[in-house]
Amino acid sequence: MLEVKGLSFGKILKGISFKAEAGQVIGVLGKNGAGKSTLLKCLGGFYSYEGEVKLFGRELSSIPLRERVKLVNYLPQSFNPTFDYKVKEFLYLSTGVEVDDATLSKFGVLKLKERKLSLLSGGERVKVLLSRLELISPSVYLLDEPSAYLDPCVISLLTSYIRELSEKKKIVFIVSHDVDFVFKVSNLFLGIKEGELLFFEKRKGAKEKLEELFECQLENKEVVDEEKTNSFKPNCPNR
Amino acid sequence: MFKGLTLLGALFLLSLLFLFWGSPSREVLLLIRLPELLVSLSFGALLSLSGAVFQNALRNPLAEPYTLGIASSSALGATLSVWLGLRPEAGALLFSLFSVAILLFAFKLFKTPLSLLLFGVGLSSLFSSLILFIYSLLPSSSLQDALYFTLGFITPVSLKLSLFLLFLSLLALILCLRFHKEVGLLPLGSEIAYFSGVEPGKTTALLLISLSLLLSPFISNFGIVGFVGIASPHGVRLLGFRSGYSFILLSFAFGALFTLLSQFLAKNLFYPNLFPVGAVSALFGAPFFLYLLWRYSGARS
C-alpha cells in the first residue's frame, strides 16, 4: 500500500526502503537528528525527496497537492500561528470540511470551539490537531512528536485513537522520543541511524536492536505489554 | 454582517462629504474631486489589501509594502526614471520586482519577524535618502517636492487615469478573493499550510509579486503612503474578521475609508495649506503600529 524505495533527502536520509500495509502502526525511532522528522516530511511530500514513494501504486509527487493531502496528512511537531484564529475557524480553514460537533467532542475540544489558538495548552493543541486529522481522515497519518509534554489524559486519548486508526485499516507513523510510548502503541518499528535504515521489524526484533540504535546501555529493556497499559485509563473530566 | 454594512455606509457617507464639501462647481466636482476620490479609494484599498496579504504570507503582523521597503524601492525606481527621462511607471515596476526578490530572499534568511522588519527599515531609509539626492539633481524639482513624494501626496489626475487605477485595485481584489483560502492558511505556518493543500513558497511569491506590481503605478504617481497597510487589516482583525472572503473584502473597504479620511483631512484641516496624505495617515497609523509592536512582541516572548 505504501512502498518506499531508495528514499534519500540531502545528506539527512540515505536510501531508505520499506513497505507498509493497511492497519500498521509504525513507530519511528532514532537519536536526535537521525532524520525521523525528515522522513515523515518526505512521506508527506513536504520535502522533495529522491527515490520512490508509492501510495496505492501512485508516485506521491505526481499526485496533485490538494488530492495528496486527503491521502496522507501530518501532525506537526511545533505550531505557531501568527494570527489568533479561533479553534473552529482553524479547523474549517485547514480541512475545508464543515466542523461537526461529534468529532469535536470525541477529542474533548467542543468547549474549546470558540477559544483562540494562542490560549490553548500543549495538550489542547494536540487534541485540536487530532480533530483536524479526523476531519480530513486520510489513509496515511504522520504524527510528529504527538506525545511530547502531554498529561496522562491526552496520552490515553492519543493511544486509543491510534488503536482505532489501526482498526480502521489506516497506516500510522509515529515519531517520538518516548520509547515506552512508541512500544505501547505501535506494531512495527522503524529505526533510523544517521539517516540510514537500521531496522524495520516487529516488537521483538526491534527491542533487540534498540541499544545499537541509541548507542547506549538501556536500563529498562522490558517493554510494557498491552494488557498492563489498557488497565491504566485515567478518568478525565474534559473528555 | 452588520459591522461590514456599517463600514460600507461610513465609506459612502464620507465619499459624499468628500465630493460635496464646500459645494464645488460642476467642473471642480467632475474634473478634480471625482478623480481624487477614486484615487484615494483605490490607493488606500490596494495598500490595505497588500498589507493584509503581506502580513499573512510572511507571518509578520507588522509587514506591509511600506515597512518592508517595497514602496520606497518603487518610488526610487520612479524617481530614477524621471531623472533618466523615462516614464516613472517603468522604473517603479522594475524596482518593485527587484525589491520583492530581495524581500523573499530576506524572508528565508531572517528567522524572526522583527529582523525582517528591521531589514525593511534599513532598505527604506537607504532608498528614501537616494530619492532625496536624485531630486536635488532634478532641475525642475525642489526638495519640498521630494519630501511630499516620500510622504505620499495625492495630486490631481485625469479622470481617465483615476479610472485606470481603480481598475488595478479591483484586479487586486479579484486576485485576493480568488486566493482567500491561501491567504487564510499561510499564517498557520508552512507545514500546516502545505498539508492543507497550499504550496507556501509559490503562493507567497505569486501574491507578493502581483500585489507589488499592481501597487507600483500608484507609487510612481503619488509616492509612499505608509501605515494604511498596517492599520487597516488589523482594524478588520480587531472587528473579528480574520479569514475568508469577509477579511479580504473588509480590508479593501477599510483601507479605502482610512485613506479617504486621511486625504480629506490633509486637504481641509489647515486649508488652504495642503498636507501630504501620508503624513496624516501616519498620524493615526503610527501609534497603532506601536500598539501592535507592543502587543505582538509581548505575546511572542
Side-chain angles (χ1 to χ4, degrees):
Chain A
M1 212 178 140
L2 179 74
E3 202 179 346
V4 178
K5 256 193 212 159
L7 174 73
S8 298
F9 178 75
K11 285 178 181 166
I12 305 172
L13 293 178
K14 300 161 198 160
I16 290 186
S17 305
F18 64 90
K19 214 169 161 181
E21 301 293 338
Q24 288 179 341
V25 178
I26 299 156
V28 183
L29 298 164
K31 292 209 292 190
N32 285 341
K36 304 183 299 284
S37 284
T38 310
L39 174 68
L40 250 57
K41 285 176 189 167
C42 286
L43 293 179
F46 182 73
Y47 288 156
S48 20
Y49 52 85
E50 285 162 49
E52 285 178 16
V53 177
K54 287 215 163 125
L55 190 59
F56 302 109
R58 289 168 78 188
E59 181 58 42
L60 191 73
S61 54
S62 72
I63 307 172
L65 182 61
R66 296 220 170 178
E67 193 185 328
R68 199 194 310 161
V69 296
K70 287 180 189 149
L71 295 172
V72 41
N73 218 297
Y74 177 76
L75 187 147
Q77 188 173 358
S78 62
F79 169 53
N80 288 311
T82 314
F83 299 109
D84 248 355
Y85 291 135
K86 286 179 182 171
V87 168
K88 200 173 118 189
E89 196 176 9
F90 163 72
L91 288 173
Y92 176 67
L93 269 173
S94 66
T95 60
V97 179
E98 277 309 324
V99 182
D100 62 304
D101 287 357
T103 308
L104 294 184
S105 48
K106 178 173 170 184
F107 295 94
V109 292
L110 188 58
K111 67 178 168 109
L112 305 175
K113 209 162 93 171
E114 300 294 327
R115 189 88 66 85
K116 299 223 167 137
L117 284 179
S118 66
L119 299 175
L120 299 180
S121 70
E124 286 168 338
R125 265 184 192 208
V126 170
K127 289 196 271 185
V128 169
L129 288 169
L130 287 174
S131 341
R132 173 178 176 269
L133 290 181
E134 174 72 0
L135 288 166
I136 299 170
S137 187
S139 309
V140 181
Y141 289 67
L142 309 167
L143 312 179
D144 200 352
E145 290 285 357
S147 61
Y149 320 113
L150 293 186
D151 63 57
C153 296
V154 190
I155 294 272
S156 112
L157 174 74
L158 184 63
T159 309
S160 59
Y161 183 54
I162 291 171
R163 293 205 174 121
E164 182 192 318
L165 291 178
S166 172
E167 277 158 26
K168 282 186 182 163
K169 298 291 166 208
K170 309 282 189 184
I171 298 180
V172 184
F173 287 86
I174 303 165
V175 165
S176 176
H177 283 103
D178 186 346
V179 180
D180 287 342
F181 174 74
V182 171
F183 271 89
K184 197 166 89 181
V185 295
S186 319
N187 46 36
L188 259 175
F189 302 87
L190 194 156
I192 305 179
K193 193 175 176 182
E194 284 157 16
E196 283 175 55
L197 185 75
L198 186 69
F199 59 78
F200 182 64
E201 295 197 53
K202 292 198 174 132
R203 193 171 298 267
K204 196 166 171 290
K207 236 172 79 180
E208 284 163 4
K209 288 185 183 151
L210 273 188
E211 291 194 341
E212 191 191 343
L213 181 69
F214 289 107
E215 291 176 316
C216 67
Q217 295 273 309
L218 293 174
E219 196 189 353
N220 181 14
K221 277 201 275 184
E222 198 178 312
V223 177
V224 197
D225 64 85
E226 299 276 317
E227 279 156 55
K228 243 194 230 165
T229 53
N230 278 347
S231 65
F232 175 64
K233 274 218 169 151
N235 187 17
C236 300
N238 56 351
R239 272 192 68 186
Chain B
M1 193 67 194
F2 175 72
K3 288 171 191 165
L5 286 177
T6 314
L7 195 61
L8 283 183
L11 191 57
F12 181 70
L13 286 179
L14 187 65
S15 300
L16 287 182
L17 183 69
F18 187 88
L19 283 176
F20 296 104
W21 178 260
S23 43
S25 67
R26 215 182 118 79
E27 282 75 32
V28 170
L29 194 65
L30 272 179
L31 297 175
I32 297 176
R33 291 278 172 95
L34 186 61
E36 204 181 325
L37 173 77
L38 295 179
V39 163
S40 307
L41 290 176
S42 39
F43 196 7
L46 184 51
L47 281 170
S48 169
L49 213 50
S50 311
V53 171
F54 274 61
Q55 285 145 27
N56 278 18
L58 301 174
R59 302 197 292 283
N60 188 337
L62 301 174
E64 66 147 317
Y66 168 69
T67 51
L68 296 180
I70 289 182
S72 44
S73 175
S74 291
L76 176 63
T79 315
L80 269 175
S81 295
V82 173
W83 188 45
L84 296 172
L86 302 166
R87 285 191 63 85
E89 286 85 354
L93 274 176
L94 200 68
F95 270 64
S96 71
L97 265 185
F98 164 69
S99 62
V100 177
I102 296 181
L103 176 67
L104 289 172
F105 177 68
F107 178 55
K108 287 225 157 100
L109 204 65
F110 294 115
K111 295 296 170 219
T112 69
L114 229 48
S115 42
L116 185 71
L117 198 74
L118 288 174
F119 176 78
V121 169
L123 220 57
S124 248
S125 316
L126 177 68
F127 292 158
S128 296
S129 64
L130 283 174
I131 291 171
L132 289 184
F133 277 117
I134 296 168
Y135 257 93
S136 66
L137 296 175
L138 290 173
S140 59
S141 309
S142 67
L143 271 178
Q144 194 189 343
D145 292 334
L147 192 65
Y148 273 40
F149 188 62
T150 50
L151 280 173
F153 188 56
I154 294 180
T155 46
V157 295
S158 68
L159 188 60
K160 204 172 129 191
L161 178 61
S162 70
L163 284 171
F164 174 68
L165 294 173
L166 179 68
F167 169 72
L168 290 186
S169 73
L170 290 174
L171 219 56
L173 178 64
I174 292 168
L175 176 83
C176 292
L177 287 174
R178 162 84 181 65
F179 280 90
H180 76 279
K181 269 192 184 155
E182 285 82 350
V183 171
L185 281 167
L186 286 169
L188 295 167
S190 53
E191 288 168 4
I192 287 281
Y194 184 86
F195 284 100
S196 304
V198 174
E199 298 259 15
K202 280 182 200 165
T203 314
T204 301
L206 173 84
L207 287 171
L208 263 51
I209 290 171
S210 349
L211 286 171
S212 303
L213 286 180
L214 288 167
L215 198 57
S216 62
F218 285 90
I219 293 172
S220 61
N221 274 294
F222 313 114
I224 308 161
V225 176
F227 298 106
V228 176
I230 293 275
S232 316
H234 281 293
V236 174
R237 288 191 189 100
L238 287 177
L239 287 175
F241 301 92
R242 287 167 298 264
S243 60
Y245 289 123
S246 54
F247 175 59
I248 304 285
L249 284 168
L250 289 178
S251 291
F252 191 82
F254 204 113
L257 180 69
F258 183 40
T259 309
L260 186 61
L261 183 66
S262 299
Q263 173 68 2
F264 182 73
L265 293 175
K267 273 176 64 184
N268 297 309
L269 210 53
F270 295 104
Y271 187 81
N273 291 327
L274 300 182
F275 275 88
V277 61
V280 182
S281 71
L283 206 59
F284 297 112
F288 196 65
F289 174 83
L290 295 175
Y291 160 72
L292 291 167
L293 183 67
W294 168 76
R295 182 184 151 154
Y296 280 97
S297 59
R300 261 157 204 290
S301 61

